[in-house]
Amino acid sequence: MEVWRISLKDFSYSVGNTPPSWERLGGRGLIARILVDEVDPTCEPLGDNNKLIFSPGLLTGFMLSSCDRLSIGGKSPLTGGIKEANAGGTTGLKMSYLGIKTLIIEGIPEGSDWWIIHASKNGIRFEKANDLVGVGVYNTANALIKNFGNKIAISLIGQGGEMKMGAAGIQNLDKEKTPSRIAARGGLGAVMGSKRIKAIVFDSEGGEKPSLSNEIEFKNAQKEYTKALMAHPQTKIYADYGTNAMPSLSHPFGAIPTRNFSAGQFEDIEKINGDFMRDLLLSRGGESETTHACMPGCTIRCSNVYGGEDGKTIVSPLEYETVGLMGSNLGINDLDMIARLNYEVNDLGLDTIEIGAALGVAAEAGILEFGDGLRALEIIKEIKQGTALGRVIGNGAVVTGKVFGVTRIPAVKGQAMSAYEPRAIKGTGVTYATSPQGADHTAGLTIRAKVDHLDPSVQAEVSKKAQINMAGYDTLGACIFAGFGFASVPDVVRDLINARYDWHVENDFLQVIGKETIALEREFNKQAGFTKADDRIPEWMTKEPLPPNNSVFNVSKEDLDTIFDWI
Ligand code: SF4
């Protein structure tokens, strides 16, 4: 596998060998290594010293169920720290067929033209993209598929990235060619926009699967892993209800954000939860699908296609985080409306978590009423138009709070929390507080841990374990739900890695790469100026009791400060 490097200063590129210290890393871990090695942590995130990095995981390339993810990284314009955001879809797979271990994009081009980067077996070429400026991701993807053929993968931005908004992500095609798998968090779409790259097209024609060191052993390990994954009870739940199965867990715990994180239960939960959504989609039929795979080979199929009354697709997929942040968090109890909001935000290439949280803060400031979906749609239209209000919301919850004088902002390190209340699931609160990535459930979700989620004394340990495992999965290129299979067959990660690379790793490999990744990320953030004060839940959440448990976030500062005890 090779290191592909593009300099936008002179539109040159190189293809080189992987340095030894990068070899045993992929995905999130490799991004952390490259950022520590090559990017000044104090640089301007939207300036020419920041780099935009694309890295498939260590196990990407084999259609191993849910393991073909792509990580994208750089210094975050939202947090000012290290950022890795990952996505399913098809980009990781196509990159691995081209033999790309990592693609590093450097510099900012001179002039004002926008560009498409085209990567294939013939190398890199650049094409002008000025006609696509101001075009949303759905139409941009269609135009690129028409131009470059049906066999490509694409990473692209919408108007949010073009306007360098803090909530801008990078969209990727799913296996049906819908640009719906977004590396959403931390504003990496703005970094791509700062480099005036509208899209990167990966054409894997003539490419091939990466090599395996021992094909038979890989297949055996794959069989064991897939069997365990299919047998896991959670797999069926996610196949039936998608990620919107989650309210059945988060709501009883009083942990679903409601009206700008002012309550943990929503009175209309039965109008937006997974049961309701499944029945609705089954009754509507047409293009609706209750289960759908975002990438080839996924056996869990947690994605879906949300069809309207006429059976025509409104959005695909509609997921729990969006239902939480743009539904209950905005007091909206209408799934059709949430799906419409989701579609519009997707088209702008923005993160629904960050935009939902920003709208919640705006509602607290009186810019819209909780429950008013039409007003929320109008504001999203303003983001597209680039009005002052639209740009405020598009830059996320913290900017919105500052502009409108709201201090109840649900964010850590500048990034909005996802749909798990840290006062009700305190282990996830520890993750929000301490993860180098900022508030992000995928950095270490603890809702399934068998502990009292309100007991502050046990949460640091629970979060630590979850954060190490997740940093490991993100480095492998594995979806969070692949963990159901990996946890059921403890040696299978070791066996897969050894069959792929002949590295003779031990069965603690997942934890080894997880710890290494977090240590590198902490190092970057330290050099960027982060201190203990940045590893805190917002003060108001330590004082304001959250109904119905009337709990506050009260994990001790000492526990937060000692969680990464191996660094
Ligand atoms: S489980 Fe869901 S997110 Fe993960 S690979 Fe499958 S469809 Fe994609």
Side-chain angles (χ1 to χ4, degrees), residues 21-77:
S21 64
W22 294 11
E23 236 158 43
R24 290 194 176 206
L25 291 168
R28 177 173 162 188
L30 182 55
I31 280 168
R33 179 79 264 170
I34 295 170
L35 285 168
V36 167
D37 286 353
E38 297 194 356
V39 173
D40 176 358
T42 64
C43 75
E44 162 56 50
L46 301 178
D48 64 355
N49 288 325
N50 198 7
K51 300 189 183 185
L52 186 63
I53 306 163
F54 293 70
S55 292
L58 285 172
L59 289 175
T60 298
F62 303 95
M63 292 190 229
L64 184 65
S65 182
S66 324
C67 289
D68 282 331
R69 282 180 91 82
L70 163 73
S71 289
I72 305 178
K75 179 172 174 177
S76 165

Side-chain angles (χ1 to χ4, degrees), residues 239-566:
D240 283 347
Y241 300 98
T243 58
N244 204 23
M246 201 43 94
S248 66
L249 209 52
S250 62
H251 199 261
F253 282 133
I256 191 161
T258 302
R259 287 182 286 274
N260 192 31
F261 288 72
S262 62
Q265 288 187 333
F266 183 45
E267 62 282 2
D268 286 334
I269 191 69
E270 280 172 10
K271 294 183 182 167
I272 62 171
N273 66 14
D275 290 309
F276 183 86
M277 185 164 95
R278 179 177 163 80
D279 290 347
L280 186 71
L281 296 185
L282 287 174
S283 71
R284 283 179 172 176
E287 292 169 7
S288 301
E289 285 183 52
T290 55
T291 184
H292 174 267
C294 80
M295 62 175 67
C298 170
T299 52
I300 305 172
R301 297 165 56 90
C302 82
S303 179
N304 56 37
V305 180
Y306 187 93
E309 275 176 12
D310 57 0
K312 292 235 159 49
T313 304
I314 299 180
V315 75
S316 173
L318 181 57
E319 303 217 49
Y320 170 66
E321 298 305 325
T322 307
V323 170
L325 270 299
M326 306 196 92
S328 52
N329 188 51
L330 301 182
I332 295 175
N333 62 8
D334 174 359
L335 272 183
D336 283 2
M337 176 55 76
I338 299 167
R340 284 173 67 196
L341 293 167
N342 192 166
Y343 177 88
E344 296 299 334
V345 173
N346 277 2
D347 197 36
L348 292 165
L350 295 172
D351 172 14
T352 55
I353 296 177
E354 196 64 49
I355 296 297
L359 287 169
V361 171
E364 180 141 340
I367 307 300
L368 71 159
E369 295 282 323
F370 285 113
D372 189 348
L374 287 174
R375 175 71 182 130
L377 267 179
E378 270 173 25
I379 293 175
I380 290 166
K381 205 174 276 171
E382 290 209 34
I383 303 178
K384 188 185 280 188
Q385 291 160 348
T387 68
L389 174 62
R391 284 174 191 266
V392 168
I393 302 291
N395 275 293
V398 169
V399 168
T400 302
K402 281 189 177 154
V403 169
F404 294 112
V406 174
T407 52
R408 294 183 70 267
I409 306 168
V412 179
K413 297 186 181 75
Q415 182 169 278
M417 294 174 184
S418 17
Y420 303 89
E421 242 293 347
R423 288 167 287 180
I425 307 295
K426 294 182 184 176
T428 302
V430 174
T431 301
Y432 289 163
T434 58
S435 169
Q437 299 291 335
D440 184 349
H441 67 293
T442 69
L445 184 59
T446 63
I447 195 166
R448 285 200 181 78
K450 303 277 180 247
V451 294
D452 174 358
H453 292 293
L454 297 176
D455 174 0
S457 69
V458 297
Q459 306 304 332
E461 199 51 39
V462 174
S463 169
K464 173 181 157 184
K465 195 171 162 215
Q467 289 197 59
I468 292 170
N469 283 341
M470 275 319 302
Y473 292 143
D474 291 342
T475 298
L476 294 179
C479 169
I480 188 168
F481 304 127
F484 299 137
F486 290 138
S488 309
V489 195
D491 294 339
V492 83
V493 169
R494 177 198 67 191
D495 295 347
L496 285 164
I497 288 291
N498 287 337
R500 163 76 171 99
Y501 297 103
D502 197 24
W503 286 343
H504 305 282
V505 302
E506 302 293 336
N507 56 10
D508 62 351
F509 182 69
L510 184 73
Q511 285 72 38
V512 169
I513 53 175
K515 284 181 174 177
E516 182 180 352
T517 298
I518 293 172
L520 288 164
E521 291 173 344
R522 294 276 295 180
E523 176 60 28
F524 186 93
N525 278 2
K526 194 172 153 200
Q527 288 183 38
F530 282 65
T531 67
K532 287 176 183 174
D534 296 295
D535 289 340
R536 298 288 183 264
I537 286 292
E539 199 173 87
W540 63 272
M541 286 183 160
T542 68
K543 293 178 180 159
E544 185 184 302
L546 176 77
N549 295 309
N550 294 321
S551 53
V552 295
F553 185 81
N554 55 354
V555 176
S556 72
K557 287 179 183 171
E558 196 192 343
D559 277 4
L560 298 178
D561 293 341
T562 53
I563 183 171
F564 303 118
D565 54 7
W566 68 92

